[in-house]
Amino acid sequence: MKHVQAKEVAIVLGSGGFRGPAHVGVLERLKELGVPVHSMIGCSVGSIVSAYYAAVGLPVEDLLESAFGIKLMGVFSHAVTLRSEGKMGRFFARWSYPIHHQLDRLEQYDFRRLHHGVRRIGFLMHDLVRRERIFAVTGLERGFSLSEAVRASSRVPFLFPPMRKEVDGLERRLVDGGLSSPTPVVHAVSAPVSATHIIAVDLTPSRKRAKHSELVRWQKLLGDRLLVLRPRPRTSEGRPGGQRFVEAWYEAGRRTIGQAEEDRLLGWIEGTTGQTSRAEQPLRGELAPAAM
């Protein structure tokens, strides 16, 4: 009797700072098309979007206000309060409150009780001491709470202090996972996620940095099973974090799924209970070694 396996779709939301609203636009288009997302892999701002969508359970239409109602002053103030507990920290607390409030909400949630059909959620972090990636995911949380993983994954180096945490018996200094891989597809195809089809949202700002995203290699390995989306606004973006900037990147995320991308996605989900060919099986034996 031949093995029958359903397709497993994972979305990888990469690093991108204030460009993160593009992730929300992509998620909304997937919802409109009825494309299931079984696993979410987040890196940097992608971790924040993944957590609020899959763990908190916010509807996609509420993500922009909840995750991106933050101005540049709020981000700077949050960085100051993390580094200073004295008068300066208390002074800037008034502007950093929105970020503190949003991050504190994550304390109530975990890796296992997920929403919107998502069954696994994972976050990539970077260890500054050993210069290696640290990945925590549903079923392999490695001692992280959901809140800790999101906070560590989104800590931009130099701006925010690293999170100190013992992982696998070693003291770690954890920061933004984008330093290891801006769009970490490897964690979507490897266990325990083992997705057969991957959507990767790449927000890297330059071609030079995009080379470090591993996407060229994975496109060769996965072929049509990897859909890479690269949202870019058509109009002036305005000030980072401002209303026009948020709307421009959100619309760019929606627009990046055009007719060709829609056709491929709908082709993926047709007959999901049928036989899975060798070409659609996870590449368990073909993965390059990676610190997990």
Side-chain angles (χ1 to χ4, degrees):
M1 184 175 180
K2 293 185 177 180
H3 177 66
V4 176
Q5 176 184 323
K7 295 185 176 80
E8 287 283 329
V9 179
I11 187 166
V12 179
L13 302 182
S15 62
F18 282 102
R19 299 182 292 277
H23 290 324
V24 182
V26 169
L27 289 174
E28 184 167 64
R29 283 290 288 135
L30 295 177
K31 178 184 176 184
E32 291 173 355
L33 295 172
V35 177
V37 174
H38 304 109
S39 300
M40 299 188 76
I41 308 300
C43 174
S44 191
V45 69
S47 292
I48 297 173
V49 176
S50 298
Y52 280 112
Y53 183 70
V56 178
L58 288 181
V60 70
E61 54 268 21
D62 290 347
L63 280 173
L64 280 182
E65 180 178 355
S66 296
F68 298 104
I70 306 298
K71 309 300 182 186
L72 275 171
M73 184 61 180
V75 174
F76 173 76
S77 299
H78 179 56
V80 172
T81 58
L82 287 176
R83 292 182 178 276
S84 175
E85 297 180 355
K87 291 182 179 180
M88 183 176 292
R90 291 193 295 271
F91 175 79
F92 281 96
R94 71 186 76 177
W95 292 291
S96 66
Y97 173 77
I99 295 181
H100 284 294
H101 175 68
Q102 294 292 9
L103 291 175
D104 286 346
R105 290 184 64 189
L106 298 178
E107 300 288 351
Q108 309 169 44
Y109 303 95
D110 58 41
F111 283 85
R112 310 240 172 182
R113 290 173 291 180
L114 304 176
H115 305 270
H116 305 300
V118 179
R119 297 195 289 264
R120 299 179 192 85
I121 186 171
F123 307 99
L124 179 64
M125 297 152 273
H126 178 81
D127 180 3
L128 282 176
V129 176
R130 292 167 181 82
R131 298 182 181 180
E132 64 184 21
R133 64 181 73 198
I134 300 294
F135 184 64
V137 63
T138 304
L140 192 62
E141 294 90 350
R142 305 176 72 183
F144 284 92
S145 68
L146 180 108
S147 177
E148 285 177 327
V150 174
R151 290 170 188 262
S153 177
S154 57
R155 289 200 173 190
V156 179
F158 308 114
L159 178 61
F160 298 109
M163 176 184 287
R164 295 179 180 271
K165 183 176 176 62
E166 183 177 310
V167 183
D168 302 333
L170 298 173
E171 178 73 19
R172 308 283 187 171
R173 295 176 62 200
L174 303 171
V175 295
D176 191 324
L179 265 70
S180 289
S181 175
T183 316
V185 170
V186 62
H187 299 292
V189 297
S190 57
V193 178
S194 302
T196 59
H197 295 72
I198 296 96
I199 303 163
V201 186
D202 176 25
L203 299 182
T204 49
S206 67
R207 292 183 179 181
K208 182 178 180 180
R209 189 168 181 221
K211 291 180 180 179
H212 299 291
S213 67
E214 307 171 355
L215 291 177
V216 173
R217 172 176 176 264
W218 285 111
Q219 283 183 310
K220 292 178 180 178
L221 284 171
L222 295 169
D224 288 342
R225 290 191 287 143
L226 172 61
L227 175 62
V228 179
L229 304 175
R230 293 186 172 92
R232 293 295 184 269
R234 290 178 176 172
T235 59
S236 174
E237 305 166 23
R239 182 180 301 175
Q243 186 66 28
R244 189 169 66 177
F245 188 96
V246 170
E247 290 176 354
W249 279 95
Y250 164 74
E251 290 298 334
R254 284 186 51 83
R255 194 175 55 250
T256 197
I257 299 181
Q259 189 60 56
E261 292 78 16
E262 178 180 334
D263 290 344
R264 193 197 302 188
L265 290 167
L266 294 180
W268 284 2
I269 64 177
E270 289 177 359
T272 55
T273 57
Q275 178 180 339
T276 301
S277 69
R278 171 65 183 88
E280 293 179 342
Q281 293 173 1
L283 302 178
R284 294 188 181 90
E286 302 172 39
L287 300 178
M292 300 289 286

